[in-house]
Amino acid sequence: MRNTACLLVSCPDRKGLVAAIADFLYGHNANILHADQHQDKVFGLFLMRVEWGLDGFELDLDKFDEAFAPIAEQFKMTWRLAMSSVKPRLAIFVSKFDHCLADLLYRHHAGELFCDIPLIVSNHPDNLWLAEAYKIPFIRIAVTKDNKAEVERQQLVLLEEHKIDFIVLARYMQVLSPEFIHRWESRVINIHHSFLPAFHGAKPYQRAFERGVKLIGATSHYVTEALDDGPIIEQDVIRISHRDDQESLIRKGADLEKVVLSRAVKWHIDNRILVYGNKTVVFD
Amino acid sequence: MRNTACLLVSCPDRKGLVAAIADFLYGHNANILHADQHQDKVFGLFLMRVEWGLDGFELDLDKFDEAFAPIAEQFKMTWRLAMSSVKPRLAIFVSKFDHCLADLLYRHHAGELFCDIPLIVSNHPDNLWLAEAYKIPFIRIAVTKDNKAEVERQQLVLLEEHKIDFIVLARYMQVLSPEFIHRWESRVINIHHSFLPAFHGAKPYQRAFERGVKLIGATSHYVTEALDDGPIIEQDVIRISHRDDQESLIRKGADLEKVVLSRAVKWHIDNRILVYGNKTVVFD
Amino acid sequence: MRNTACLLVSCPDRKGLVAAIADFLYGHNANILHADQHQDKVFGLFLMRVEWGLDGFELDLDKFDEAFAPIAEQFKMTWRLAMSSVKPRLAIFVSKFDHCLADLLYRHHAGELFCDIPLIVSNHPDNLWLAEAYKIPFIRIAVTKDNKAEVERQQLVLLEEHKIDFIVLARYMQVLSPEFIHRWESRVINIHHSFLPAFHGAKPYQRAFERGVKLIGATSHYVTEALDDGPIIEQDVIRISHRDDQESLIRKGADLEKVVLSRAVKWHIDNRILVYGNKTVVFD
Amino acid sequence: MRNTACLLVSCPDRKGLVAAIADFLYGHNANILHADQHQDKVFGLFLMRVEWGLDGFELDLDKFDEAFAPIAEQFKMTWRLAMSSVKPRLAIFVSKFDHCLADLLYRHHAGELFCDIPLIVSNHPDNLWLAEAYKIPFIRIAVTKDNKAEVERQQLVLLEEHKIDFIVLARYMQVLSPEFIHRWESRVINIHHSFLPAFHGAKPYQRAFERGVKLIGATSHYVTEALDDGPIIEQDVIRISHRDDQESLIRKGADLEKVVLSRAVKWHIDNRILVYGNKTVVFD
């Protein structure tokens, strides 16, 4: 396991930023393992991710905030500190489709997703067996037309009880309320089964079939109040042909969805994503 | 050079079609080199492409029509016969961008596109040098707000004079009139610089940049009266990242556009595309 | 479920083959759903796959052999008949790595692999839990230096008892004897963790790392007595960079291996592969 | 045009490197536009590329060497300074195949390759017309069994006269002598028409065809005395099938070769490649 810390910064672009951060870290004897930065000229923004080893680092992380505050103020930084040894806590929301859930659980088991998964929430009982195989608690809360608000209330309580850090909608077929989304801003990752913005909304595979496209896609994004319009984290496509009917589009798409979602989840866990405007930077 | 003939058929699906066609060909001593078929269940259509060697074929191709008519009538076929030894005649329409033109001319020179190119038409003089390097006639007809109809009239005369079989819009920045398109239905190939139907219409790279997508695409399609909505022949995408500004999107996109367009042109020349509804079958 | 039959043929190439087969099938009222053929000029071979619906087919499949024999003899065909409604029976051999096993079991559960899996054989107990989750019998037979022949004898008995049709080596780390391989010729599919013939043999990821390649690959192939040299069914690659250490190569490679293996298994089940010489044709 | 400078550094890995370099640059009022680094744990090496804007940079670049020397010495750096406004001078060596040459010349014309090309050297006259179309001097020196040493002597004189910085072998079918290669170490880029190390040596497409691989590749690398074994810069592959004969492999391969070579040339020009051991780092 890596014993590192990672600092994510965004602020108005100006000279001296890299030197100020590098000096601060080196002044506390950090060994910088990786640093990456980006300037967005349209927004006039500087975005940076820097990771360093904690062996020999001479600043107590409890006091990082206080020590870093003068630099952060000087450059008007929005910043966040993350430690690679602290596992974030993930809740997976799922309905009946199991391909994304099975993929996430396998990758978690294989050590690829460095997080805890204390909770799977579903509006159906179908995927209980998968949760059991991987020994993850599975809570079913049936959703009807009439109990949506009540269900969300229960979900919010569960999220708090389990100290959840972020949510993955692994083909969860219920729309979350604006209040829920607002509360969990930039912490809910969804997978949409099209190459957004093409086939925005419902039934993308059917519409792809009807339009006669030669590739189908999938898009993982942070959920915002504007449906299917949040900051895109990752996209990919797969080739199809006239031989593919709607059923095979769904099957090929499922393979793509799980891969695109897993990448987004991994990058989120690895603190490689910075959201700004309605976009993301994914640091290498 | 291959000395083959190729039959393209579409008709209502029913039993005995493959046998009827294979029997007809074998009855005239054809050596079938390649046969591919497709059933579209939604449309209830049978689509087939069969290619055979002409060495030893005992039916004079001038009499093919007459000899095949009874079968065609029996099965209500729409059909077309093409000979691989006959080069179709291509006119390229182009404006200032040269990447697609340069790619088509190089591939033609390299023997990859088995066609004649007796004519390049442009509304700008910029690409004359390229036409000269590859020894292709280049005719410039300047387009203004006021002379569009007149220009199309001249173009139609040129197309007739040069016995043109099909047109490629290699980033030609003028919209053709419905009359023109109707006259050249399924014989005008365009390249659109997005993964349609995403970013339909103008400035797709700018909109892709603003939306923060992670892949950009290109689409080649037959031109219909509905802008950017004709039958799709080929699509492909390329990965981009936050590091790409609009300029680099345009550069990466250009690389993609030329590849996607060249594939469509090659398939058209090789008689591998069947259009039905608003879709295409591209036979392997 | 499709109720179809599929005929796979290879024979010396000559005229009239397609017509003879199409006539035979149509003569028994077959509705040909898909037909694909290939001529290998180097070997002078004709290879064909034809699939037809059994609804209304007027020849009893028990009598197919007898009815088809005259044509088969006339053209010196090697041929095989398969029914899409008959599930082949698969035995998976696995050691400690679980990524290929987990992927195969999930795809089988999801209905993508139309086969029965009555048997998982392993030389280690590690993957028992996965077999249990998917309710597949798991038999562990420990292998030592001294008991290899005895283990193979037990395995052969198991394969016979369970009426196994084909075997998948899902990262099974034991070399099978020539006798075993000979007995199961063209019925054992292996996954090799490199783009063969590069990094033939042991430790391909380490060697890929040392050589500084920019892509790593995986290869699924039928097992022959010549190690890593059997007919290739499928290959694919994934991009890596200087940032990838050996550990991340192994992780990225695992993702690739399972995909490449699953495709090969699916194509084998769907009767789409014809082996000839040391090559395969995979029909579309 | 960007008015930037770029520093490439490799040295033994230790703490304080990033801070030392960032401080040095900021001390002279540099605006760091891009910084990327890599630690190779096996070699114990630190490798870095940092690029900054020269507007407002307060150190005369003529004095950079002197000013940076103390830091370079302290950390035992191997380093190189490059200015984005200085075009490197490229000589292209080519034989009869024209696909790589045509692609390089088009990209140079399109402004994608920021270099001067004062010289094309060929052992055949075939590509003179291409050189003329793009107005690049073309010098033919015929090579026979007997005059190889003399030809190389002439080539070395030409390279010196034209102040050439690096050479691209765009399918140049002559083997360069060890002396020549030694003199131009890490400055000669070759394209090999296989996915190295598969099909090392001659006739890779024929061997790929015989082996029945499902993908073919291309590899660009710096030339070393060990044939086809120099540091790999870039690789890519393309899917093939049983339908591809050797001729179509060559055609598909040509498309791949030119893309893989052009990427390597662009990265070399952009000072993004660091060679160490027998490997490369290509900075993003």
Side-chain angles (χ1 to χ4, degrees), chain C residues 76-258:
Chain C
K76 295 179 182 150
M77 293 176 178
T78 303
W79 64 278
R80 180 158 66 84
L81 181 73
M83 290 169 63
S84 64
S85 60
V86 176
K87 290 185 176 185
R89 295 170 67 79
L90 162 62
I92 301 176
F93 282 33
V94 69
S95 294
K96 289 188 174 179
F97 290 119
D98 61 9
H99 52 284
C100 288
L101 178 65
D103 191 59
L104 289 169
L105 293 180
Y106 174 76
R107 288 178 193 277
H108 179 252
H109 150 82
E112 191 178 328
L113 301 177
F114 190 73
C115 64
D116 285 323
I117 309 179
L119 185 62
I120 297 171
V121 174
S122 184
N123 51 336
H124 293 286
D126 305 58
N127 290 319
L128 176 59
W129 73 278
L130 253 176
E132 285 179 348
Y134 287 95
K135 301 192 168 58
I136 307 286
F138 180 95
I139 293 181
R140 190 208 164 187
I141 311 177
V143 181
T144 64
K145 277 182 202 166
D146 303 322
N147 73 346
K148 293 201 171 202
E150 170 56 21
V151 168
E152 282 203 354
R153 209 193 48 77
Q154 289 180 44
Q155 290 170 338
L156 288 168
V157 168
L158 282 168
L159 296 172
E160 194 159 339
E161 279 177 5
H162 288 84
K163 298 187 168 56
I164 296 302
D165 292 302
F166 74 112
I167 299 168
V168 170
L169 307 182
R171 299 298 308 272
Y172 182 65
M173 310 306 274
Q174 298 290 327
V175 177
L176 297 172
S177 71
E179 294 73 31
F180 191 111
I181 290 165
H182 184 70
R183 198 149 156 183
W184 283 84
E185 194 189 340
S186 295
R187 294 189 293 160
V188 183
I189 298 174
N190 186 43
I191 179 74
H192 189 267
H193 45 316
S194 87
F195 179 77
L196 290 173
F199 309 122
H200 194 280
K203 304 206 177 208
Y205 291 130
Q206 184 181 323
R207 289 150 68 207
F209 178 80
E210 287 165 2
R211 181 63 187 89
V213 291
K214 301 298 185 183
L215 304 166
I216 55 169
T219 304
S220 56
H221 62 95
Y222 287 112
V223 176
T224 58
E225 298 178 27
L227 189 66
D228 299 342
D229 207 31
I232 292 170
I233 303 169
E234 171 64 340
Q235 304 188 288
D236 216 336
V237 298
I238 194 170
R239 188 160 287 277
I240 58 167
S241 81
H242 57 275
R243 298 212 186 285
D244 291 291
D245 53 19
Q246 289 191 48
E247 190 193 341
S248 75
L249 290 198
I250 288 169
R251 185 170 56 69
K252 287 189 175 178
D255 253 22
L256 196 63
E257 291 163 31
K258 66 188 185 191

Side-chain angles (χ1 to χ4, degrees), chain B residues 185-201:
Chain B
E185 194 189 339
S186 294
R187 294 189 294 160
V188 183
I189 298 174
N190 186 43
I191 179 75
H192 188 268
H193 45 315
S194 88
F195 180 71
L196 291 173
F199 309 121
H200 194 278

Side-chain angles (χ1 to χ4, degrees), chain A residues 34 98-99 102 106-107 109 112 129 133-134 243 251 255 258 266, chain C residues 34 98-99 102 106-107 109 112 129 133-134 243 251 255 258 266:
Chain A
H34 191 237
D98 61 8
H99 53 283
Y106 174 75
R107 289 179 193 277
H109 151 81
E112 192 179 326
W129 73 278
Y134 287 95
R243 299 214 186 284
R251 185 171 55 71
D255 251 23
K258 67 188 185 191
K266 179 162 175 54
Chain C
H34 191 238
D98 61 9
H99 52 284
Y106 174 76
R107 288 178 193 277
H109 150 82
E112 191 178 328
W129 73 278
Y134 287 95
R243 298 212 186 285
R251 185 170 56 69
D255 253 22
K258 66 188 185 191
K266 180 163 175 50

Side-chain angles (χ1 to χ4, degrees), chain A residues 228-248:
Chain A
D228 298 343
D229 208 32
I232 292 171
I233 303 170
E234 171 64 340
Q235 304 187 287
D236 216 336
V237 298
I238 194 169
R239 188 160 289 275
I240 58 167
S241 81
H242 57 276
R243 299 214 186 284
D244 291 292
D245 53 19
Q246 289 191 50
E247 189 192 341
S248 75

Side-chain angles (χ1 to χ4, degrees), chain A residues 18 22 32 34-37 48, chain C residues 242-243, chain D residues 6-11 13 16-23 25 32 34-40 45-52 68 77-80 271-274 276 281 283:
Chain A
V18 176
I32 294 179
H34 191 237
D36 201 359
Q37 61 180 94
M48 188 175 193
Chain C
H242 57 275
R243 298 212 186 285
Chain D
C6 168
L7 180 67
L8 288 145
V9 171
S10 63
C11 62
D13 193 17
L17 277 160
V18 176
I21 293 169
D23 270 358
L25 293 174
I32 295 179
H34 191 237
D36 200 0
Q37 61 180 96
H38 178 60
Q39 279 95 339
D40 188 295
L45 271 181
F46 171 88
L47 306 121
M48 187 174 192
R49 181 188 188 279
V50 55
E51 187 173 1
W52 66 96
F68 191 63
M77 293 175 178
T78 304
W79 64 278
R80 182 159 64 86
N271 294 296
R272 290 173 50 188
I273 311 174
L274 258 181
Y276 71 101
V281 167
F283 289 109

Side-chain angles (χ1 to χ4, degrees), chain A residues 4-27:
Chain A
T4 64
C6 168
L7 179 67
L8 287 146
V9 171
S10 63
C11 63
D13 193 18
R14 47 173 281 200
K15 285 185 184 178
L17 277 159
V18 176
I21 292 169
D23 271 358
F24 173 80
L25 292 174
Y26 182 56

